[in-house]
Amino acid sequence: MTKQNNKRKNEVKIMACKDAKKKQAEAEKLAVKNTQPETKEVTEERAVERLFFGVDSQIQSDDVLQNNITLFEWSVRNKVYPNFWGRNLVGENALTREEIDFLHSKGCKIAAVYSDSGEKQTEEQGQIIAKKIDVLALELGVSKGTAIFLEIGENEVVTRDFMRGFASMLLNEGFTPGFKANTDATFDFDREYSRGMQTDKDVFEKCLIWAVAPSLAEFDRVTDRLQGVTEYLYYHVMGEPLTHPDLPDFIRLAKEKGFKSAITTNGTLLPKK
């Protein structure tokens, strides 16, 4: 296997999330059954069925690797059939119309990410960026309803007004707005998003958050603020979350506070069985 091929494969992050609502009725039926060995086995199988896998990559999913298969096919061969694929809308190796058609032909949805270096302070600035995304999405043929995440840098100044303008415009254009940001309370995003939930909940509660996991103490503090705001917590540690020593405590603490956890992992540290 060549170094180039290894590099491309290492850029892939396998993402897993739970769709609890889709199987809620089935789970409730299982809960009332008698606790027997066969019931337990079925419950475990159902739990696996509720896991939705996805991929986040910096290169195109239809890119042909040196073993003459596409990146998508390589993912499937590794026993992961992705329900969605995370791709950048701008920059090097950005999403293309051909790749969108390719992914849709495989029954795979798109999680789009957009980055912009402009100021993020006024409502009008948020609307302008959302309009840029709408025009780009129209050119690419991105389906309405697709989740589009705006990337917020740790050192960027971002305000509630900006996020309200961005989210409102994207919602009006038929897309699901999201933010990819560090939710640590020391950064602007956490504080300003919390303000938005207090003043414009009808807009902010419709947004998705692609969050970076904090330290255990910070995680405890942030999750206190998020209670009643969101049901799911997504673990993205700008690397492999299974290497984080506090990950089991994150999940335990989240469960105690009533959250459901979803982990993004490249799968290399998972047991083979």
Side-chain angles (χ1 to χ4, degrees), residues 86-119:
R87 294 285 287 115
N88 292 326
L89 287 175
V90 293
E92 187 177 1
N93 295 320
L95 184 68
T96 65
R97 179 181 285 271
E98 291 73 24
E99 185 182 6
I100 291 175
D101 291 341
F102 172 80
L103 288 171
H104 285 170
S105 72
K106 302 294 184 180
C108 184
K109 295 182 179 180
I110 296 166
V113 180
Y114 186 85
S115 58
D116 190 288
S117 59
E119 291 188 349

Side-chain angles (χ1 to χ4, degrees), residues 1-11:
M1 187 177 295
T2 65
K3 291 183 178 179
Q4 182 179 359
N5 203 21
N6 280 332
K7 180 180 179 182
R8 288 184 172 181
K9 290 182 179 179
N10 287 336
E11 288 175 331

